[in-house]
């Protein structure tokens, strides 16, 4: 079970509510904030608390105790002015961690200068995710660690089935490392070299993106 964290999500559009709902379903405490009363009403089922507030007003953020949250996600959409102004206020109020949604690169550069800890480009990231899965059909999910390295969940090739990790010698053959094994919903961390890989198993791999792509495309 994940430890309980306190999150505030500002902006309850499609991106904001999707993120807030996932955190809430994972057992986290989530405060949803939006200036639109209708959006707040729709979000009430998917968050711990939902409030109508103007996040560009310092008094409103202070009254919500925004600096006490472990992480604040700034998910305001197309209103660039509101997004930037809110980011500045959040940093001035000393939030511990600020994750901010950006519409494009120049917007992201501004958020970076303001001091956002993590800048997300939802449309670009989703486009890259879909493209990666089209190019590597056996790749089920991934986390980008850097421009070069990823962690990926990869469905094994049928020709690898019923062999041990030692026999497959994946690190030497493909320059990637298996850090976990997913089998029928259970996760085996750091699987033994003598672990036999079965047909429906999923390997969690770490390595350079091009090496993982090569491994994922093994027929």
């Amino acid at each position: 079970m994940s430890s309980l964290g306190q999150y505030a999500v500002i902006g309850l559009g499609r991106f904001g509510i999707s993120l807030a709902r996932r955190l809430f379903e994972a057992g986290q405490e989530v405060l949803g904030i939006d200036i639109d009363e209708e959006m707040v009403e729709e979000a009430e089922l998917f968050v711990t608390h939902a409030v109508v507030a103007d996040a560009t007003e310092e008094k409103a953020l202070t009254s919500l105790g925004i600096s006490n949250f472990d992480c604040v996600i700034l998910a305001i959409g197309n209103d660039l002015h509101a997004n930037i102004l809110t980011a500045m206020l959040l940093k001035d109020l000393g939030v511990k961690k600020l994750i901010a949604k950006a519409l494009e690169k120049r917007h992201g550069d501004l958020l970076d200068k303001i001091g956002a800890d993590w800048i997300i480009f939802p449309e670009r990231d989703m486009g890259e995710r879909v493209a990666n899965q089209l190019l590597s059909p056996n790749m089920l999910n991934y986390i980008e660690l850097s421009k070069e390295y990823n962690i990926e969940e990869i469905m094994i090739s049928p020709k690898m089935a019923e062999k041990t990790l030692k026999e497959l010698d994946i690190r030497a053959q493909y320059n990637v490392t298996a850090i976990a094994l997913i089998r029928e919903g259970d996760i085996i961390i750091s699987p033994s070299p003598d672990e036999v890989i079965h047909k429906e198993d999923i390997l969690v791999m770490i390595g350079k993106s091009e090496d993982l792509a090569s491994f994922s495309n093994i027929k």
Side-chain angles (χ1 to χ4, degrees):
M1 180 181 292
S2 57
S3 59
L4 180 65
Q6 292 183 314
Y7 297 85
V9 179
I10 302 175
L12 299 173
R14 284 179 298 178
F15 171 72
I17 194 60
S18 175
L19 193 153
R21 182 175 186 169
R22 179 67 189 92
L23 289 169
F24 180 66
E25 289 173 345
Q28 307 304 298
E29 185 174 329
V30 183
L31 170 66
I33 304 167
D34 202 286
I35 198 169
D36 188 318
E37 186 174 351
E38 189 174 325
M39 286 187 168
V40 170
E41 288 177 357
E42 290 178 3
E44 286 177 340
L45 294 174
F46 311 120
V47 294
T48 313
H49 304 287
V51 297
V52 179
D54 184 351
T56 65
E57 296 288 341
E58 183 175 351
K59 186 181 292 186
L61 293 175
T62 303
S63 68
L64 292 169
I66 203 72
S67 61
N68 296 323
F69 285 81
D70 298 315
C71 178
V72 178
I73 299 100
L74 176 55
I76 294 175
N78 295 326
D79 191 336
L80 181 62
H81 177 263
N83 181 290
I84 294 296
L85 181 54
T86 302
M88 293 173 67
L89 285 174
L90 291 169
K91 293 304 294 183
D92 287 345
L93 290 170
V95 298
K96 299 180 183 74
K97 184 173 185 179
L98 173 60
I99 299 173
K101 172 184 176 180
L103 303 177
E104 38 79 28
K105 185 180 184 302
R106 284 183 296 178
H107 182 192
D109 290 341
L110 279 172
L111 289 168
D112 183 54
K113 288 177 181 177
I114 290 168
D117 299 285
W118 182 8
I119 299 163
I120 299 172
F121 299 85
E123 290 189 0
R124 184 202 69 184
D125 294 346
M126 180 54 70
E128 290 180 356
R129 182 176 293 274
V130 172
N132 283 332
Q133 290 185 324
L134 288 171
L135 293 169
S136 304
N138 291 327
M139 189 265 288
L140 304 177
N141 202 358
Y142 77 98
I143 298 171
E144 184 178 311
L145 298 177
S146 69
K147 290 183 178 179
E148 290 188 13
Y149 288 88
N150 287 355
I151 294 175
E152 299 184 4
E153 294 179 4
I154 299 174
M155 182 74 73
I156 66 159
S157 164
K159 75 176 188 179
M160 294 183 175
E162 307 313 317
K163 295 180 180 177
T164 65
L165 286 172
K166 184 188 293 183
E167 290 172 322
L168 294 172
D169 202 11
I170 292 171
R171 184 181 296 179
Q173 294 291 328
Y174 306 102
N175 200 34
V176 293
T177 302
I179 58 175
L181 172 66
I182 302 174
R183 176 177 294 151
E184 297 179 347
D186 292 328
I187 300 178
I188 302 170
I189 304 296
S190 298
S192 162
D194 297 319
E195 186 74 48
V196 177
I197 307 301
H198 303 307
K199 185 178 179 181
E200 301 297 326
D201 286 349
I202 297 167
L203 287 174
V204 182
M205 315 293 295
I206 186 170
K208 288 187 175 181
S209 53
E210 61 265 29
D211 294 328
L212 289 165
S214 297
F215 179 78
S216 177
N217 281 304
I218 298 169
K219 303 300 183 183

